[in-house]
Amino acid sequence: MSVRTRFPPSPTGYLHIGGARTALFNYLFARRHGGQFVLRIEDTDKERSTPEATQAILDSMTWLGLEWDEGPFFQSERTALYREHAEKLLAAGRAYWCTCTPETLEAKRKQAEAEKRKPMYDGTCRKAGHAQQPGVTALRFLAPPAGETAWNDLVRGPVAFQNQELDDLVILRADGSPTYNFCVVVDDALMRLTHVIRGEDHIPNTPKQIQLYQAMGFPVPRFAHVPLILGIDRSRLSKRHGATSVTAYRDAGYLPSAVVNYLARLGWSHGDQELFTRAELVAAFDLEHVGQSAGVFNPEKLEWVNFEHIKLLTPAELAALTKPFVQARGYALFGDDAWLAAAVKTLQERAKTLVELVEVGRFYFSDDIAIDPAAAAKHLTPAALELLRAVREGLAGLPAFGEAAIETVFKDVVARFSVGLGKVAQPVRVALTGGTVSPGIYEVIAVLGRERTLARLDRVVAP
């Protein structure tokens, strides 16, 4: 049977890092085995589900490159299917109508807690034979009262629950709406899913779902429960640890390839290898090397991975990714795509994110350059201004404005004034970029071009 996996987000907010990793693991497992990856939107929570959140999830998945083969399916459009299968369970004697009110159930829950018992439904209506009363009765699954429900988890190994610890869960509420565990089983079965890869927080749901599969005569998929993602303080990842949504990292200038690489390594290993292309991840991913201990989300490690992925891009690829960030910052492009590629090439090993790259290269994208006062005091001395005038004169007279020709101007000035290259390069750097740190000065001048370079020098050396 072909491998079929799924990712079923709820559209109640942005796609967060934990959900993205779950989606990635399902995607990689399906691709590794030549199977299909299904996207299902679990939007039965009508009050909290929004079209905006749905679109944000789809955008995040697309940005990450997690292409789905089927879907997106929407649970809100499948209610008739859930009710059909609920009626089949009722007809088979595997479900019954319950008249217990929410107030009654809450009182029983509190009593159980007071008596230090596990809060669970006590089966009051199990043999009562109630008829359906619209708006009053809920439909409960008749769970097996004895024995155990077990499975061999592909990450955690053998797992078993005693059936006496599992109560009769509601599958249709009094208003007729289906519940989470029931919808999931019907969907996973009808979508012919072979593997359910999800967070370990779903382990308590699994025995209930297995019982539903068996009661409805559906094959039970293989389960793999992956560890949660923790913050650097080893508490559950939350907003206090920094950005947790995929779109936040997109907007902060991270590469999708880097985020995918980093998420894949949160809880999964492949020897000592840290950096992966997508093709390498597909070829290497397996569930055998997903650990049982939680992955710790380290923002600094993600920055490093992003930095390494930026360095792997061609200048043209990097330019295409950088352009929207230049424009979003309100900066200008002083040339075509080839010019931008030349500019970002000089910055490629100087920034960990695309946002940082634009700021590091601000002097390329804006002529509104403020010169650092400390740098000016140190490097734009009267003696240095004389050197700047000589450089300006040499650059103005060049027939061709390339790096090799620019270098000859600097060498001529160094020889003419008998000074070290630094005595010439640093004042020029300060005049052109506003600071003392930049890419190679010949590269900077070549990217800025003759007109912009001379204008900036004139601003400094003009009497």
Side-chain angles (χ1 to χ4, degrees):
M1 181 181 295
S2 176
V3 166
R4 290 174 61 84
T5 65
R6 48 71 155 174
F7 177 56
S10 298
T12 56
Y14 294 105
L15 179 61
H16 57 81
I17 289 297
R21 189 194 61 170
T22 298
L24 175 62
F25 280 10
N26 279 278
Y27 168 87
L28 291 175
F29 189 79
R31 292 290 178 266
R32 168 75 187 275
H33 295 280
Q36 291 80 45
F37 175 54
V38 179
L39 178 61
R40 183 174 72 230
I41 304 298
E42 298 192 337
D43 58 345
T44 53
D45 187 339
K46 297 178 182 178
E47 292 184 0
R48 298 177 61 216
S49 298
T50 67
E52 293 78 14
T54 297
Q55 191 59 53
I57 290 170
L58 298 179
D59 290 346
S60 297
M61 296 279 288
T62 300
W63 182 73
L64 290 170
L66 305 183
E67 305 95 348
W68 51 91
D69 302 297
E70 295 179 18
F73 298 101
F74 291 85
Q75 284 190 331
S76 60
E77 300 173 356
R78 298 168 63 83
T79 304
L81 282 171
Y82 307 137
R83 290 178 179 167
E84 175 188 339
H85 284 82
E87 290 169 1
K88 288 181 179 179
L89 282 175
L90 181 63
R94 295 305 306 271
Y96 60 91
W97 293 110
C98 175
T99 61
C100 296
T101 65
E103 293 76 16
T104 299
L105 295 174
E106 177 63 15
K108 290 182 178 182
R109 185 188 67 80
K110 289 182 177 180
Q111 182 178 354
E113 289 180 345
E115 297 173 357
K116 301 189 182 306
R117 292 184 289 107
K118 180 180 178 180
M120 57 187 296
Y121 183 63
D122 60 5
T124 297
C125 297
R126 186 177 295 167
K127 297 181 180 180
H130 294 304
Q132 181 183 12
Q133 302 175 50
V136 176
T137 51
L139 188 64
R140 287 186 180 273
F141 171 64
L142 181 60
E148 68 175 19
T149 301
W151 73 95
N152 186 31
D153 198 279
L154 295 176
V155 170
R156 308 180 69 84
V159 182
F161 283 76
Q162 296 303 307
N163 289 341
Q164 63 184 9
E165 296 294 316
L166 305 172
D167 56 5
D168 296 349
L169 73 155
V170 172
I171 57 177
L172 290 182
R173 301 181 183 90
D175 64 3
S177 61
T179 58
Y180 167 76
N181 278 303
F182 187 60
C183 294
V184 165
V185 171
V186 172
D187 283 339
D188 286 353
L190 297 184
M191 293 174 186
R192 309 185 315 282
L193 298 174
T194 62
H195 294 77
V196 173
I197 304 169
R198 58 190 180 187
E200 63 182 17
D201 51 329
H202 283 281
I203 288 176
N205 290 324
T206 303
K208 304 172 187 177
Q209 293 174 6
I210 289 176
Q211 290 180 354
L212 286 169
Y213 281 111
Q214 294 171 337
M216 289 188 282
F218 291 134
V220 179
R222 303 295 305 275
F223 290 96
H225 291 91
V226 301
L228 300 179
I229 300 176
L230 303 180
I232 200 74
D233 59 357
R234 301 198 70 80
S235 62
R236 187 160 182 171
L237 190 66
S238 67
K239 290 182 179 179
R240 72 175 181 275
H241 298 108
T244 59
S245 71
V246 171
T247 50
Y249 287 98
R250 178 198 65 190
D251 297 343
Y254 287 79
L255 304 184
S257 62
V259 175
V260 164
N261 183 163
Y262 182 71
L263 290 180
R265 288 286 287 109
L266 275 179
W268 172 78
S269 62
H270 184 66
D272 295 327
Q273 186 173 348
E274 293 283 355
L275 299 174
F276 293 82
T277 64
R278 184 176 300 264
E280 289 173 331
L281 285 174
V282 169
F285 185 79
D286 57 16
L287 293 173
E288 289 78 5
H289 290 90
V290 174
Q292 294 188 27
S293 58
V296 176
F297 188 85
N298 186 335
E300 292 183 358
K301 181 67 172 292
L302 174 57
E303 274 194 346
W304 174 79
V305 173
N306 201 60
F307 179 51
E308 294 298 321
H309 277 260
I310 285 176
K311 292 193 295 185
L312 293 174
L313 296 172
T314 67
E317 290 170 335
L318 182 56
L321 292 170
T322 302
K323 183 184 287 188
F325 290 90
V326 175
Q327 295 168 330
R329 189 66 176 80
Y331 292 152
L333 297 170
F334 291 87
D336 57 13
D337 289 347
W339 173 85
L340 181 56
V344 299
K345 182 181 179 182
T346 71
L347 306 168
Q348 196 157 3
E349 299 197 10
R350 293 175 171 270
K352 297 183 180 70
T353 69
L354 298 180
V355 168
E356 185 181 353
L357 184 146
V358 171
E359 285 308 303
V360 168
R362 181 178 184 275
F363 52 85
Y364 286 142
F365 311 120
S366 173
D367 286 327
D368 182 20
I369 300 298
I371 295 179
D372 177 62
K378 182 176 181 180
H379 296 288
L380 300 182
T381 62
L385 294 182
E386 187 177 1
L387 298 173
L388 289 179
R389 292 188 184 97
V391 169
R392 191 234 182 264
E393 179 183 355
L395 294 175
L398 285 177
F401 208 74
E403 286 183 36
I406 292 166
E407 183 177 3
T408 63
V409 171
F410 276 75
K411 287 182 176 180
D412 289 344
V413 173
V414 164
R416 178 174 155 195
F417 288 88
S418 299
V419 295
L421 178 60
K423 292 292 185 180
V424 181
Q426 276 302 78
V428 173
R429 179 173 283 110
V430 172
L432 298 183
T433 70
T436 58
V437 178
S438 79
I441 194 60
Y442 309 143
E443 296 174 299
V444 170
I445 292 172
V447 171
L448 285 175
R450 190 195 310 264
E451 181 180 341
R452 297 176 74 202
T453 297
L454 297 182
R456 292 189 190 185
L457 291 175
D458 286 342
R459 183 183 64 170
V460 172
V461 302

